[in-house]
């Protein structure tokens, strides 16, 4: 009998194209995905137990590659160890968007959903304070709204998040992709994803562009973008030097 656990996880990032990837993979008959994206087992619902989690994959066929995509996993400080404890051989897919553009996209996404009452510059100015309050709560096993919803620059510090996973999983279990390539070179990325999951190579289905923003970031001043780029300079440097990804 098939073990009701996933073979792969989409770790993130938020506003990096994970919903589009989920919909693409749903077109592949060799892939099984739960009915909805973002199960949050290794982040918000870990206390519900493995039986609760396994039930989402109970209908996967023997020949299918099962997986789920929850973009909060890459950022949640406890998720890496929880995943390793449960799924030490799991394959990990990470979509990484230009750090500045991802941070801005998340902020405007939060504003559209009514999750962010502050204006752009004020929200960025108080982020460090919010994170200082949130981190101890989350590390202690709790849930804090700001850690998930107001973590704009923090979530773009990819090098700090990837190191937690690299301490536990070998590099061959990772597939790191630029989000921009998913939309600009979709056939190439689709082939890489299928190769990584060792599933049948099929043509690219219609590429869905999900959760697109409303163009708000076009009005962001160049000076603010430059400031964010400086704040995230370490991320840009490490991602290019260590992973060969540049923006």
């Amino acid at each position: 009998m098939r073990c009701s656990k996933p073979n792969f996880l989409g770790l993130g990032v938020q506003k990096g194209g994970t919903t589009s990837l989920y919909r693409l993979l749903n077109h592949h008959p060799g892939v099984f995905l739960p009915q909805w994206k973002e199960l949050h087992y290794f982040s918000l619902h870990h206390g519900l137990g493995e039986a609760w989690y396994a039930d989402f994959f109970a209908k996967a066929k023997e020949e299918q590659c099962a997986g789920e995509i929850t973009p909060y996993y890459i950022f949640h400080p406890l998720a890496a160890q929880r995943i390793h404890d449960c799924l030490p051989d799991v394959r990990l897919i990470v979509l990484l968007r230009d750090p500045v553009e991802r941070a801005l996209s998340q902020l405007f996404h939060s504003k559209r959903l009514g999750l962010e009452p502050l204006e752009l510059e004020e929200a960025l100015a108080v982020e460090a304070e919010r994170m200082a309050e949130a981190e101890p709560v989350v590390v202690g096993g709790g849930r804090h709204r700001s850690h998930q919803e107001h973590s704009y620059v923090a979530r773009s510090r990819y090098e700090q998040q990837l190191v937690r996973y690299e301490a536990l999983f070998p590099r061959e279990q990772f597939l790191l992709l630029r989000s921009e390539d998913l939309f600009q070179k979709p056939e190439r990325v689709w082939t890489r994803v299928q190769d990584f999951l060792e599933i049948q190579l099929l043509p690219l289905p219609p590429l869905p562009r999900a959760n697109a923003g409303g163009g708000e970031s076009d009005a962001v001043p160049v000076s603010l973008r430059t400031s964010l780029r400086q704040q995230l300079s370490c991320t840009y440097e490490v991602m290019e030097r260590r992973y060969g990804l540049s923006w």
Side-chain angles (χ1 to χ4, degrees), residues 178-246:
R178 291 195 337 148
S179 303
E180 292 81 1
D181 293 337
L182 174 63
F183 299 104
Q184 296 168 10
K185 306 171 185 177
E187 293 87 357
R188 184 183 304 177
V189 170
W190 181 232
T191 297
R192 290 188 65 190
V193 170
Q194 293 176 100
D195 282 341
F196 179 67
L197 297 180
E198 297 183 329
I199 56 179
Q200 181 184 3
L201 291 178
L202 297 179
L204 178 75
L207 179 63
R209 187 97 187 200
N211 296 329
E216 300 97 333
S217 64
D218 294 342
V220 174
V222 173
S223 58
L224 180 55
R225 271 197 164 83
T226 301
S227 175
L228 288 172
R229 179 92 187 196
Q230 291 171 347
Q231 291 180 55
L232 291 163
S233 60
C234 182
T235 298
Y236 284 98
E237 191 275 326
V238 172
M239 296 309 297
E240 182 169 9
R241 172 174 48 82
R242 184 171 174 82
Y243 306 102
L245 301 177
S246 60

Side-chain angles (χ1 to χ4, degrees), residues 8 30 66 68 148 187 208:
F8 75 92
E68 65 118 335
Q148 190 174 1
E187 293 87 357

Side-chain angles (χ1 to χ4, degrees), residues 24-61:
L24 275 178
L25 287 168
N26 247 342
H27 281 278
H28 200 296
V31 174
F32 176 87
L33 292 167
Q35 186 175 0
W36 62 82
K37 178 174 166 273
E38 302 194 29
L39 299 184
H40 280 286
Y41 173 62
F42 297 107
S43 50
L44 306 180
H45 304 314
H46 194 250
L48 295 177
E50 287 190 26
W52 176 86
Y53 187 54
D55 191 55
F56 287 100
F57 306 97
K59 294 182 180 179
K61 297 177 182 177

